[in-house]
């Protein structure tokens, strides 16, 4: 049905699925060119009920936590105008006439069509109970619903959600965020009855109730009772119980919006939904239906976005392709976080042999203390039929691709806690070719492997360009690298194209031994166009990159005493720093690495602050604004709370800041408080108030020490053998501000009961009757690893000296973004992978631990005194980074929301500006004075953040990398180098003021 001339397509509904259809048609080149009247393609008219274009309903709840609703938008104005799409907001379809092929809107407009697509979605089901329409009763589906609920909740104290499914629990989280005492009422016997079984629901319920949300199951809503003003005040349940309810949210399921089809005489399902065939075509061959309004050929109505997207692709293929794509059903696997609890299900989570299916063997792991429940269902031949994960869903990505196949390892490897025998997950190389490795763009392992072979790809950037994998959230990048490795692609030893012969340890050694004080100087001397000698320059031990070699770099008889090191006329003068073309060079790899190394070596080099001068142009967005960038473009603020100890006055100050700035506050796993939703320009004012209360930067934004967690220890605990609180405070204050290859976390437990989970940290300390035991190189996250015992029964002085050595040795020899756990494996001759068990005899980790003991305890390299002295210099030079910015007018100026003019731009660093027509632009100046202007909105996330990205070059092209997920854009053309279908608008460069 591809259009050979201009034909008219009417799309009723502009939600997520409807907009995906428009994108799919555009990707196929099927939309008519507005500049060529009468030319081939589809001229599209979109009739939308809401008065805003399509937005991301999946993340609707983020608006409750302060996200800008505009940043949920999916439809860029340039996309609509560039394809001549006529979007009519607030004028929905009222009637469809299949005989005349016209649609009449509520305004009376009559729109003809050659093809019609119904994407009307669904509506919330509201039980027919008395009082359901009283003020205070809401549904939760649109931005309007969120706004109305938020406003009403300002005067409310209690709320009840009717419905304990996915949307119900999400709504409960919203009420809790709004500060209401919250209840959930579920008519079924358990929460999430369509996704989890009794065991999973019990674990989920325990987690939710521990957060203060009351759960009522096996009971329905009977009546909403009202007060004298007619407003909701109580909810009466079917068992007679009455719950206080200033707010009632109905989330008891949805119904397909199929009225237009019914009235037009099109077939609908017995339980609702426009009946369609496998090509998503209704009983009228010119009318299609997609998304939640459609009953598909398998007799189901799908309420998830992913099946809707597949239907959109199917219709796009009918309208503009071969017409061979069909939709016969979809995978309803899902993973989400509800009220802080991870929940996932995949395959058939209830396989029990009914309906002729295979009878399943259940394998279950349950830990009621931790709220964890995991179940796998295996068929007669050992094939994975499905599963349920509650409380810990880390294995979801490994399990889902194997549904319908035999697992590549023992089932317990996917269920047991990290560190348990047999709990090591198989790697990505065990995945079948059909496994989806990038869920954002539905890219399989086979597609990636095929692209590598066909196009001769050698790096992640190439994989991104050819397959789109890795250009969404970025969470699959490590898996993509595994596929590259399996294809025999050799990984370059160098850091990036700008330092092709230097690793991070070698760059560290060069900067330290030759007293290099700027990125510009390093690039001039040792970059790809520099005059140095590559990997051998200044490293003391030649081209070796092993940790032992790097560690001795500064103590070699030649390195550090060479007449040129630190005394060369080029070293330490910053004569060209930030003033020539090099300011616009570099990339998102090398610039932050050099910034990190300069920050670590600041006391040795006489540098003042990480945002001083040229260093600001090297920082990623988090370090640039000393706060954590969030998905909506706002930032989170985390003050340091050493050891988790905080005064009542400081708690009050944090609460007042959160209240006055409208920030969402959350207690973190590291025993401190995170404040979310701060705009960049608010940060200095927030810092001033926190500093006045005796707080400082917690450096949650940096590759540095985060926290040292503690239990109460011997101060209060009857089992405590040591003062874990004071030791944690002392450790955190000693190592605060220390930048490293990756983040560092610590923990101190007052006894062997290990309540602070110290063995899951990079530095773990446990009190014993004889002193302190030191454990190292543990971590949580996606590849958990228990820490290994480095030394036991240490005095406090011995403990600090050994930790000094450990951290400085790691900083000198760790690779970029290498956690201590992977570093330990590499020390022992491994590839840097994490075993997940820690310290098993004969493994790379055990050999690495032996190597650490040689270097740090036996002093085999003769560097222990030097490592301790370097740490002492760091401690003496420490200065709170928030306070340093407040004391520096030049640094403070970067926090203004917009730059006043191009004359205020710093070389190599972007700033946002408002152009004369009101457009928000991202302006960049390179070292030669060339200024570029592009749109400031990141097309992938919708956040206005492009100006905060790192400016650099890629294959000689000036680029900026989005600070969200690092997609790079050509500053000359706006083209995305990682996804050719995406562009930034190129804008006129404003003239400098006289």
């Amino acid at each position: 049905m591809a259009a050979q001339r201009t034909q008219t397509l009417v799309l009723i509904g502009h939600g997520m699925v409807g907009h995906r259809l428009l994108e799919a048609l555009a990707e196929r080149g099927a939309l008519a060119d507005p500049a060529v009247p009468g030319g081939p393609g589809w001229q599209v008219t979109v009739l939308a009920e809401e008065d805003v274009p399509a937005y991301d309903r999946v993340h609707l709840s983020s608006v409750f936590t302060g996200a800008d609703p505009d940043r949920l938008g999916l439809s860029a104005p340039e996309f609509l105008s560039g394809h001549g799409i006529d979007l009519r907001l607030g004028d929905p379809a009222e009637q469809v006439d299949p005989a005349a092929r016209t649609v009449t809107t509520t305004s009376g407009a009559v729109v003809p069509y050659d093809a019609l697509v119904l994407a009307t979605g669904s509506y919330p089901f509201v039980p027919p109970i008395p009082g359901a329409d009283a003020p205070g009763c809401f549904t939760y589906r649109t931005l309007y619903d969120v706004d109305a609920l938020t406003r009403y909740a300002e005067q409310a104290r209690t709320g009840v959600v009717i419905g304990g499914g996915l949307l119900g629990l999400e709504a409960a989280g919203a009420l809790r965020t709004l500060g209401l005492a919250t209840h959930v009422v579920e008519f079924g016997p358990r929460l999430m009855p369509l996704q989890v079984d009794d065991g999973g629901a019990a674990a989920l319920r325990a987690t939710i109730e521990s957060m203060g949300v009351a759960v009522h199951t096996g009971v329905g809503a009977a009546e909403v009772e009202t007060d004298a003003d007619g407003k909701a005040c109580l909810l009466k349940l079917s068992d007679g119980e009455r719950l206080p309810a200033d707010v009632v949210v109905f989330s008891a399921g949805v119904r397909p919006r199929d009225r237009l089809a019914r009235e037009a005489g099109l077939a609908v399902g017995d339980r609702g939904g426009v009946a369609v065939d496998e090509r998503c075509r209704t009983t009228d061959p010119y009318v299609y239906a997609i998304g939640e309004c459609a009953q598909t050929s398998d007799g189901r109505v799908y309420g998830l976005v992913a099946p809707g997207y597949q239907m959109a692709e199917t219709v796009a293929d009918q309208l503009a392709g071969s017409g061979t794509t069909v939709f016969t059903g979809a995978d309803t696997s899902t993973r989400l976080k509800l009220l802080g609890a991870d929940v996932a299900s995949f395959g058939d989570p209830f396989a029990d042999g009914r309906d002729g299916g295979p009878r399943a063997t259940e394998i279950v792991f349950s830990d009621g203390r931790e709220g964890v429940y995991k179940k796998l269902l295996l068929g007669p031949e050992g094939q994975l039929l499905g599963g349920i994960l509650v409380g810990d869903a880390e294995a979801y990505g490994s399990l889902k691709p194997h549904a319908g196949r035999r697992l590549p390892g023992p089932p317990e490897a996917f269920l047991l806690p990290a560190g348990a025998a047999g709990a090591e997950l198989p790697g990505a190389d065990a995945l079948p070719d059909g496994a989806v490795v990038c869920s954002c763009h539905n890219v399989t392992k086979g597609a990636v492997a095929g692209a590598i072979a066909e196009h001769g790809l050698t790096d992640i950037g190439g994989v991104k360009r050819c397959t789109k994998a890795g250009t969404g959230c970025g969470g699959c990048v490590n898996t993509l690298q595994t596929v590259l490795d399996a294809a025999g692609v050799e990984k370059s030893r160098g850091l990036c194209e700008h330092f092709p012969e230097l690793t991070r340890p070698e760059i560290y050694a060069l900067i330290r031994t030759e007293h290099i004080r700027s990125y510009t100087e390093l690039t001039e001397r040792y970059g790809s166009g520099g005059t140095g000698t590559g990997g051998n320059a200044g490293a003391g031990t030649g081209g070796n990159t092993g940790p032992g070699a790097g560690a001795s770099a500064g103590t070699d008889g030649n390195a550090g005493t060479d007449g040129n090191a630190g005394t060369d006329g080029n070293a330490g003068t910053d004569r060209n720093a930030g003033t020539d073309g090099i300011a616009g060079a570099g990339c998102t790899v090398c610039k932050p690495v050099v910034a990190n190394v300069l920050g670590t070596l600041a006391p040795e080099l006489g540098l003042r602050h990480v945002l001083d001068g040229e260093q600001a142009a090297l920082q990623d967005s988090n370090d640039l604004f000393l706060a954590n960038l969030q998905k909506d473009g706002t930032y989170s603020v985390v003050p340091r709370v050493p050891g988790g100890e905080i005064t009542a006055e400081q708690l009050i100050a944090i609460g007042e800041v959160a209240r006055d700035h409208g920030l969402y506050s959350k207690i973190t796993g590291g025993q401190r408080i995170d404040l979310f939703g701060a705009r960049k320009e608010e940060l200095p004012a927030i810092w001033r108030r926190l500093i006045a209360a005796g707080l400082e930067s917690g450096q949650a934004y940096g590759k540095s020490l985060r926290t040292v967690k503690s239990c109460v220890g011997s101060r209060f605990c009857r089992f405590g053998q040591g003062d874990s609180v004071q030791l944690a405070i002392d450790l955190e204050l000693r190592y605060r501000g220390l930048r490293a290859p990756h983040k560092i976390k610590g923990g101190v437990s007052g006894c062997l009961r290990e309540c602070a989970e110290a063995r899951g940290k990079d530095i773990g300390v446990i009190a014993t009757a004889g002193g302190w035991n030191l454990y190292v190189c543990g971590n949580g996250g996606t590849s958990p690893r228990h820490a290994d015992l480095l030394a036991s029964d240490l005095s406090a002085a011995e403990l600090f000296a050994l930790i000094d050595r450990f951290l400085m040795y790691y900083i000198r020899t760790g690779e970029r973004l290498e956690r201590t756990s992977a570093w330990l494996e590499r020390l022992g001759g491994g590839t840097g992978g994490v075993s997940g068990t820690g310290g098993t005899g004969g493994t790379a980790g055990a050999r690495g631990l032996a190597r650490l003991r040689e270097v740090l305890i036996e002093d085999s390299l003769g560097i222990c005194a030097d490592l301790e002295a370097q740490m002492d210099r760091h401690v003496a030079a420490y200065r709170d980074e928030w306070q340093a910015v407040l004391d520096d007018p030049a640094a403070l100026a970067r926090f203004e929301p917009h730059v006043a003019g191009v004359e205020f731009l710093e070389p190599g660093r972007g700033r946002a500006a408002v152009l004369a027509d009101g457009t928000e632009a991202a302006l960049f100046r390179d070292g030669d004075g060339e200024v570029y202007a592009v749109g400031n909105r990141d097309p992938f996330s919708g956040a206005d953040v492009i100006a905060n990205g790192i400016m650099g070059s890629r294959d000689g092209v000036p680029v900026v990398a989005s600070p969200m997920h690092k997609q790079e854009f050509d500053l000359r053309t706006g083209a995305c180098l990682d996804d050719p279908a995406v562009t930034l608008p190129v804008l006129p460069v404003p003239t400098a003021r006289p």
Side-chain angles (χ1 to χ4, degrees):
M1 199 173 175
Q4 301 303 316
R5 56 178 176 78
T6 299
Q7 292 182 275
T8 301
L9 171 66
V10 173
L11 171 63
I12 300 179
H14 194 220
M16 296 179 71
V17 172
H19 187 68
R20 178 62 196 134
L21 172 64
L22 300 178
E23 293 178 331
L25 290 170
E27 290 166 3
R28 290 166 169 79
L31 298 180
D33 186 345
V36 185
W42 291 95
Q43 169 64 50
V44 183
T45 298
V46 182
L47 305 177
E49 182 176 32
E50 294 187 65
D51 57 4
V52 293
Y55 55 87
D56 182 0
R57 294 181 194 272
V58 173
H59 295 101
L60 190 61
S61 60
S62 67
V63 179
F64 287 112
T65 60
D68 184 349
D70 291 341
R71 289 178 176 164
L72 295 179
L74 301 175
S75 179
E78 55 268 24
F79 173 82
L80 299 173
S81 60
H83 293 100
I85 296 171
D86 179 13
L87 174 60
R88 304 186 186 185
L89 298 174
D91 192 17
E94 183 62 32
Q95 183 182 44
V96 174
D97 184 344
R101 291 192 206 164
T102 60
V103 179
T104 303
T105 71
T106 54
S107 69
V110 178
V111 185
Y113 65 82
D114 293 300
L116 172 67
V117 178
L118 302 174
T120 50
S122 62
Y123 65 90
F125 170 69
V126 177
I129 61 174
D133 58 351
C137 294
F138 298 88
T139 57
Y140 172 48
R141 294 285 286 172
T142 67
L143 281 171
Y144 173 81
D145 294 335
V146 171
D147 181 65
L149 179 55
T150 302
R151 292 176 183 274
Y152 194 91
E154 292 175 357
Q155 307 302 320
R157 299 179 63 184
T158 60
V160 179
V161 177
I162 298 176
L166 294 176
L167 293 178
L169 295 183
E170 187 175 279
L175 293 186
R176 187 170 173 273
T177 298
L178 293 173
L180 305 187
T182 304
H183 297 256
V184 174
V185 175
E186 167 57 41
F187 182 75
R190 62 178 185 264
L191 295 174
M192 294 184 64
L194 299 180
Q195 287 79 27
V196 301
D197 62 4
D198 290 340
L204 177 61
R205 179 171 185 159
T207 299
I208 290 174
E209 289 182 330
S210 72
M211 302 176 72
V213 176
V215 177
H216 311 263
T217 55
V219 64
E223 180 182 358
V224 177
E225 299 183 4
T226 57
D227 60 15
D229 295 326
K231 298 179 180 179
C233 64
L234 292 168
L235 178 69
K236 181 180 178 181
L237 303 182
S238 58
D239 63 0
E241 183 181 2
R242 284 177 167 83
L243 303 177
D246 301 323
V247 170
V248 177
V249 178
F250 292 100
S251 187
V254 295
R255 302 291 185 267
R257 301 186 67 178
D258 55 15
R259 179 187 64 82
L260 290 173
R262 287 179 184 273
E263 295 178 356
L266 302 178
V268 297
D270 293 339
R271 303 182 66 179
V274 185
V276 298
D277 62 15
E278 61 186 11
R279 289 177 171 77
C280 296
R281 190 169 45 202
T282 70
T283 48
D284 184 316
Y286 297 98
V287 182
Y288 300 82
I290 56 178
E292 291 177 297
C293 71
Q295 183 197 63
T296 58
S297 61
D298 61 351
R300 299 182 62 180
V301 174
Y302 289 91
L304 299 175
V305 170
Y309 282 177
Q310 294 176 38
M311 293 183 221
E313 294 283 350
T314 299
V315 172
D317 190 53
Q318 305 306 311
L319 298 177
S322 63
T324 58
T325 301
V326 295
F327 181 88
T328 58
D331 179 12
T332 57
S333 301
T334 185
R335 178 185 179 182
L336 61 161
K337 186 178 284 289
L338 297 167
L339 288 167
D342 275 323
V343 181
S345 64
F346 57 91
D348 182 357
F350 303 106
D352 58 5
R354 289 180 295 182
D355 302 323
R359 179 91 184 157
T361 298
E362 296 184 358
I363 302 176
V364 177
F365 171 82
S366 179
D367 183 349
R369 296 169 304 174
E370 299 295 330
V372 173
Y373 175 87
K374 307 178 189 179
K375 181 172 80 171
L376 300 184
L377 299 168
L378 303 183
E381 306 300 322
Q383 72 273 29
L384 178 63
L385 301 178
I388 295 169
L389 306 171
V390 176
D392 176 8
E394 288 297 330
Y396 175 77
S398 300
L399 287 165
K400 179 179 175 291
H402 291 293
R405 303 180 175 91
R406 292 181 64 91
L407 289 171
E412 55 268 24
F414 298 87
L415 298 182
L416 293 174
E424 183 176 351
L425 288 174
D429 54 348
L431 294 175
D433 283 346
V436 175
V437 294
C438 175
S439 57
C440 293
H441 294 286
N442 199 35
V443 182
T444 64
K445 174 189 171 183
V448 173
I452 293 170
E454 180 180 353
H455 300 287
L457 306 180
T458 60
D459 57 17
I460 294 295
V463 173
K464 288 181 176 180
R465 287 190 293 274
C466 288
T467 68
K468 286 192 176 182
T471 62
C473 72
C476 62
V477 169
N478 289 339
T479 302
L480 299 180
Q481 185 61 57
T482 302
V483 179
L484 278 166
D485 295 342
V489 176
E490 286 193 21
K491 198 173 180 180
S492 169
R493 74 175 298 277
L495 195 63
C496 63
E497 66 175 276
H498 305 96
F499 295 97
E501 299 299 326
L502 290 175
T503 64
R504 183 211 170 267
E506 290 169 342
I507 286 176
Y508 180 95
L510 284 170
I511 291 175
R512 188 170 76 89
T513 60
E514 301 197 20
H515 212 69
I516 294 173
R517 303 181 71 242
S518 71
Y519 178 87
T520 296
E521 182 183 353
L522 179 70
T523 304
E524 286 179 333
R525 297 173 62 181
Y526 298 110
S528 56
T531 58
T533 56
N536 296 327
T541 56
N544 293 329
T545 61
S552 60
T555 58
D556 187 290
N558 296 322
T561 57
D562 187 335
N564 294 325
T567 58
D568 188 334
N570 295 332
T573 61
D574 285 340
R575 71 197 190 290
N576 290 321
T579 60
D580 62 15
I582 292 176
C587 65
T588 58
V589 174
C590 62
K591 280 189 168 182
V593 165
V594 175
N596 180 280
V597 171
L598 291 173
T600 298
L601 291 172
E604 323 290 315
L605 304 174
L607 301 176
R608 296 190 312 146
H609 187 248
V610 294
L611 298 184
D612 191 23
E614 184 199 64
Q615 286 192 74
L618 309 179
Q619 308 292 351
D620 213 339
S621 183
N622 284 4
D623 286 283
L624 178 63
F625 297 113
L626 308 181
N628 285 61
L629 178 66
Q630 303 301 317
K631 66 180 182 180
D632 62 352
T634 63
Y635 290 83
S636 68
V637 178
V638 186
R640 186 172 300 287
V641 182
E645 184 178 80
I646 190 167
T647 67
E649 289 75 16
Q650 289 171 335
L651 280 172
I652 291 169
I654 291 173
E656 289 177 340
V657 167
R659 179 198 62 202
D660 296 346
H661 289 269
L663 307 179
Y664 169 71
S665 54
K666 186 181 186 303
I667 305 296
T668 74
Q671 299 179 336
R672 50 189 183 177
I673 300 173
D674 205 340
L675 304 176
F676 290 85
R679 298 188 306 277
K680 174 182 67 177
E681 58 269 24
E682 292 181 288
L683 293 173
I686 291 171
W687 298 341
R688 284 192 184 93
R689 294 180 62 176
L690 294 175
I691 290 171
L695 297 162
E696 64 178 8
S697 168
Q699 287 200 301
Y701 47 82
K703 298 294 183 282
S704 55
L705 177 75
R706 297 293 177 84
T707 65
V708 181
K709 185 177 179 180
S710 73
C711 63
V712 296
S714 58
R715 290 190 183 183
F716 294 98
C717 180
R718 65 185 186 274
F719 301 106
Q721 293 183 305
D723 189 349
S724 54
V725 175
Q726 189 58 54
L727 183 65
I729 292 171
D730 294 342
L731 287 170
E732 191 162 339
L733 293 181
R734 180 168 180 80
Y735 303 122
R736 59 185 172 177
L738 183 66
R739 280 178 156 73
H742 212 306
K743 61 187 175 185
I744 304 168
K745 295 183 179 181
V748 182
S749 288
C751 72
L752 295 177
R753 296 169 70 89
E754 244 285 70
C755 293
E757 302 166 330
R759 290 198 63 194
K761 309 299 183 187
D762 300 277
I763 307 165
V765 182
I766 300 177
T768 69
W772 301 98
N773 286 356
L774 174 60
Y775 295 83
V776 296
C777 300
N779 67 256
T782 57
S783 299
R785 184 185 195 279
H786 269 178
D788 291 287
L789 180 64
L790 182 62
S792 58
D793 294 332
L794 300 172
S795 67
E798 292 170 331
L799 176 70
F800 277 95
L802 190 51
I803 295 176
D804 285 355
R805 300 171 190 176
F806 169 77
L807 289 176
M808 277 303 174
Y809 186 51
Y810 166 57
I811 288 169
R812 290 187 180 188
T813 62
E815 293 288 359
R816 169 183 175 264
L817 299 181
E818 184 177 46
R819 290 295 299 269
T820 58
S821 54
W823 171 68
L824 182 72
E825 299 278 336
R826 186 167 57 82
L827 274 175
T831 60
V834 180
S835 68
T837 59
T840 54
T843 65
R847 294 192 297 271
L849 185 65
R851 175 63 175 164
L852 278 184
R853 289 193 176 115
E854 291 175 1
V855 174
L856 305 182
I857 298 176
E858 299 169 16
D859 201 11
S860 62
L861 297 178
I863 61 173
C864 286
D866 185 43
L867 296 173
E868 291 180 41
Q870 188 176 354
M871 184 64 76
D872 286 338
R873 290 191 291 273
H874 161 77
V875 173
Y878 171 77
R879 185 185 182 199
D880 176 33
E881 291 178 351
W882 288 350
Q883 184 65 63
V885 168
L886 296 177
D887 293 340
D888 184 350
L892 267 178
R894 300 189 188 99
F895 290 80
E896 294 296 324
H898 301 104
V899 69
V902 296
E903 62 271 26
F904 297 101
L905 292 176
E906 300 171 273
R909 186 78 258 174
R911 292 291 300 276
V914 178
L915 303 183
D917 63 357
T919 302
E920 185 167 296
L923 304 181
F924 296 87
R925 182 201 298 274
D926 67 18
D928 295 323
E930 182 78 16
V931 177
Y932 304 91
V934 294
N936 194 35
R937 176 155 296 184
D938 173 26
F940 293 97
S941 68
D944 296 325
V945 294
I946 293 297
N948 301 334
I950 290 180
M951 182 184 184
S953 64
R954 178 161 146 183
D955 299 327
V957 174
V959 299
V960 59
S962 167
M964 285 294 185
H965 300 302
K966 303 301 182 286
Q967 295 94 344
E968 291 184 321
F969 298 87
D970 186 334
L971 284 169
R972 304 166 305 173
T973 66
C976 178
L977 302 185
D978 299 307
D979 188 345
V982 178
T983 60
L984 290 174
V986 177
L987 303 174
V989 175
T991 57
R993 297 180 182 182

